[in-house]
């Protein structure tokens, strides 16, 4: 992004997200030669329609800012992707603000940089634009931004909808509740036609972004612009305590019982006749079938990122 001319930004604000979005926007608006237009969402799905209209505008802004959590990022990215898929050639890049609880997408684009630091880089023209791969779920033609998966994490989201509370504490409570009753399912994971694992599965994590909940590094070798999807498979043989510890401070692929794969086409399926519990971007999908097929969408979106290229982008 260039600082030679005033920056024109459109901020899509989700007021129900976990952080003070208005304060994040104010940090941008307070800078010289920055114009920020704020559009506030009122219901689920609003951000997708807003982003599409912004992308299709005859005079597009320099960037669309997602101000909310990872769910808001998903909606904004969906709108921008729809515009690009519809043939719009001037789709602006996506700038993600850490306006939620986990902020996993923000971390994947800005590493450990604070929002103030990100604002400084963006408004000084020091933040480059990179391309981001997405995934598409064949069963419902839905895109995936942050990531997706089956099993325990999806069950955690189900529990979170049943329990009181909010934020990371709610996710922790829901995870404990899900683990207490979770039973591995009999499944199969196939990547580009090759079976990665068949047997008991606790959960699968498809990336996309390496982190979930802003803290857990669950697909530690995923690269966001390599035109491939990574999948981590937690088999029934894995020690869950060792896996959880490695997700925080180590490499989950060092844990016995963990499998992983990389390719353009990932299939996760149950082989016991039961419907698959699957989620993407923090939303649980209806249990409509026994499998979920994901294909990579290479270079699907432009995103504004830290100039200090993290390991999860290709160099250059």
């Amino acid at each position: 992004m260039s600082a030679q001319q005033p920056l024109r930004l459109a901020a899509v604000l989700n007021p129900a997200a976990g952080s003070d979005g208005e304060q994040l926007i104010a940090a941008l608006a307070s800078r010289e030669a920055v114009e920020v237009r704020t559009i506030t969402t009122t219901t689920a799905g609003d951000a997708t329609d807003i982003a599409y209209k912004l992308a299709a505008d005859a005079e597009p802004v320099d960037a669309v800012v997602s101000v909310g959590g990872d769910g808001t990022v998903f909606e904004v990215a969906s709108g921008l992707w729809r515009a690009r898929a519809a043939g719009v050639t001037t789709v602006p890049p996506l700038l993600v603000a850490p306006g939620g609880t986990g902020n996993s997408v923000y971390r994947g684009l800005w590493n450990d940089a604070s929002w103030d630091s990100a604002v400084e880089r963006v408004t000084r023209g020091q933040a480059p634009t990179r391309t981001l791969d997405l995934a598409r779920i064949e069963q419902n033609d839905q895109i995936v931004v942050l990531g997706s998966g089956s099993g325990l994490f999806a069950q955690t989201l189900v529990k979170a909808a049943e329990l009181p509370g909010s934020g990371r504490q709610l996710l922790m409570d829901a995870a404990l509740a899900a683990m207490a009753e979770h039973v591995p399912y009999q499944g199969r994971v196939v990547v580009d036609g090759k079976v990665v694992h068949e047997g008991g599965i606790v959960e699968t994590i498809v990336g996309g972004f390496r982190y979930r909940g802003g803290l857990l590094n669950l697909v530690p070798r995923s690269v966001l612009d390599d035109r491939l999807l990574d999948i981590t498979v937690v088999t029934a043989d894995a020690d869950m305590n060792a896996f959880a510890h490695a997700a925080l401070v180590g490499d989950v692929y060092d844990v016995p019982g963990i499998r992983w794969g990389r390719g353009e086409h990932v299939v996760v399926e149950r082989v016991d006749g039961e419907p698959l519990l699957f989620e993407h971007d923090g939303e649980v999908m209806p249990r409509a079938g026994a499998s979920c097929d994901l294909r990579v969408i290479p270079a699907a979106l432009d995103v504004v990122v830290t100039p200090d290229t993290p390991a999860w982008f290709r160099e250059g």
Side-chain angles (χ1 to χ4, degrees), residues 226-245:
D226 65 353
R227 298 173 175 262
L228 299 169
L229 300 173
D230 281 36
I231 182 169
T232 299
V233 184
V234 183
T235 76
D237 297 326
D239 183 320
M240 290 304 295
N241 289 328
F243 175 75
H245 180 75

Side-chain angles (χ1 to χ4, degrees), residues 118-138:
V119 168
E120 180 76 14
R121 296 296 184 91
V122 169
T123 56
R124 288 183 176 271
Q126 299 170 347
T129 298
R130 303 289 295 265
T131 60
L132 176 70
D133 299 334
L134 300 177
R136 181 177 66 85
I137 299 175
E138 293 190 348

Side-chain angles (χ1 to χ4, degrees), residues 4-291:
Q4 300 303 312
Q5 298 178 346
L7 281 177
R8 297 176 59 249
L9 306 175
V12 182
L13 170 65
N14 178 3
S19 297
D20 188 347
E22 292 183 355
Q23 184 175 351
L24 298 174
I25 295 172
L28 281 168
S30 65
R31 300 286 174 147
E32 292 185 6
V34 176
E35 301 173 5
V36 183
R37 174 191 173 197
T38 301
I39 307 100
T40 302
T41 65
T42 58
T43 188
D46 264 7
T48 297
D49 294 335
I50 292 168
Y52 182 92
K53 292 175 182 177
L54 288 169
D57 194 287
E59 296 184 5
V61 293
D62 294 308
V64 175
V65 189
S66 174
V67 188
D70 293 322
T72 306
V73 175
F74 163 72
E75 289 194 10
V76 173
S78 295
L80 297 177
W81 159 245
R82 284 185 192 177
R84 177 171 283 190
V88 177
T89 59
T90 56
V91 177
L94 171 64
L95 172 61
V96 175
T101 301
N103 298 315
S104 297
V105 175
Y106 177 82
R107 183 170 186 181
L109 300 176
W110 288 90
N111 204 358
D112 293 324
S114 68
W115 178 238
D116 285 343
S117 175
V119 168
E120 180 76 14
R121 296 296 184 91
V122 169
T123 56
R124 288 183 176 271
Q126 299 170 347
T129 298
R130 303 289 295 265
T131 60
L132 176 70
D133 299 334
L134 300 177
R136 181 177 66 85
I137 299 175
E138 293 190 348
Q139 278 76 3
N140 61 6
D141 200 32
Q142 185 66 265
I143 70 164
V144 179
V145 181
L146 171 61
S148 58
S150 65
L152 181 59
F153 188 69
Q155 185 64 35
T156 296
L157 295 176
V158 172
K159 285 294 181 182
E162 300 172 351
L163 297 175
S166 62
R168 289 183 177 175
Q169 185 59 51
L170 172 60
L171 288 177
M172 290 179 62
D173 293 343
L176 291 173
M179 290 177 67
E181 62 182 46
H182 183 71
V183 177
Y185 69 88
Q186 291 299 307
R188 178 167 51 232
V189 174
V190 181
V191 179
D192 289 348
K194 179 181 178 180
V195 176
V196 173
H197 175 72
E198 184 167 359
I201 295 176
V202 175
E203 67 178 321
T204 63
I205 309 102
V206 184
F209 287 84
R210 296 185 178 191
Y211 287 90
R212 299 294 187 275
L215 296 173
L216 301 177
N217 191 352
L218 300 180
V219 273
R221 299 179 191 174
S222 180
V223 177
L224 297 173
D225 58 350
D226 65 353
R227 298 173 175 262
L228 299 169
L229 300 173
D230 281 36
I231 182 169
T232 299
V233 184
V234 183
T235 76
D237 297 326
D239 183 320
M240 290 304 295
N241 289 328
F243 175 75
H245 180 75
L248 285 170
V249 298
D251 188 332
V252 297
Y253 296 153
D254 291 336
V255 178
I258 304 300
R259 306 284 185 268
W260 76 285
R262 175 182 291 146
E264 298 177 354
H265 181 205
V266 174
V267 180
V268 179
E269 57 186 331
R270 291 190 70 141
V271 296
D272 55 7
E274 296 295 322
L276 181 70
L277 180 61
F278 203 83
E279 63 79 27
H280 74 89
D281 297 286
E283 295 293 330
V284 179
M285 293 172 54
R287 297 197 198 197
S291 67

